[in-house]
Amino acid sequence: MRQHICDGCGMPIGATYYTIRIYAGCDGPGGTAKAYEHNMRQAMQDMYGPKEYCKACKDKIEKCIKQCVNHGKENYEP
């Protein structure tokens, strides 16, 4: 069995690991060059294996994203 190492903290991960992928979307016909470039870069990174995280690092990243998305909104509870 392959040993997974967390790309966040560098510690060995058990049997369960997490990956995070963010893709660009576009409303309307066709896509923008910026969205295409982002998705192409993501696909190229995935060719070499997506980054893998332990649950603790995944939770930290998730909390950070939620704080950024909800920054300044009332009723946000981290």
Side-chain angles (χ1 to χ4, degrees), residues 18-68:
Y18 301 86
T19 61
I20 299 169
R21 294 186 180 118
I22 299 175
Y23 288 96
C26 186
D27 288 337
T32 64
K34 201 167 209 158
Y36 177 79
E37 182 268 332
H38 173 83
N39 289 341
M40 181 60 80
R41 184 173 1 100
Q42 191 75 39
M44 295 299 285
Q45 289 173 349
D46 287 349
M47 283 177 45
Y48 299 102
K51 295 205 181 270
E52 299 172 346
Y53 300 98
C54 65
K55 182 167 180 5
C57 287
K58 188 269 304 179
D59 290 343
K60 287 179 190 175
I61 294 167
E62 192 174 55
K63 182 178 179 181
C64 181
I65 291 170
K66 285 180 181 177
Q67 286 176 337
C68 290

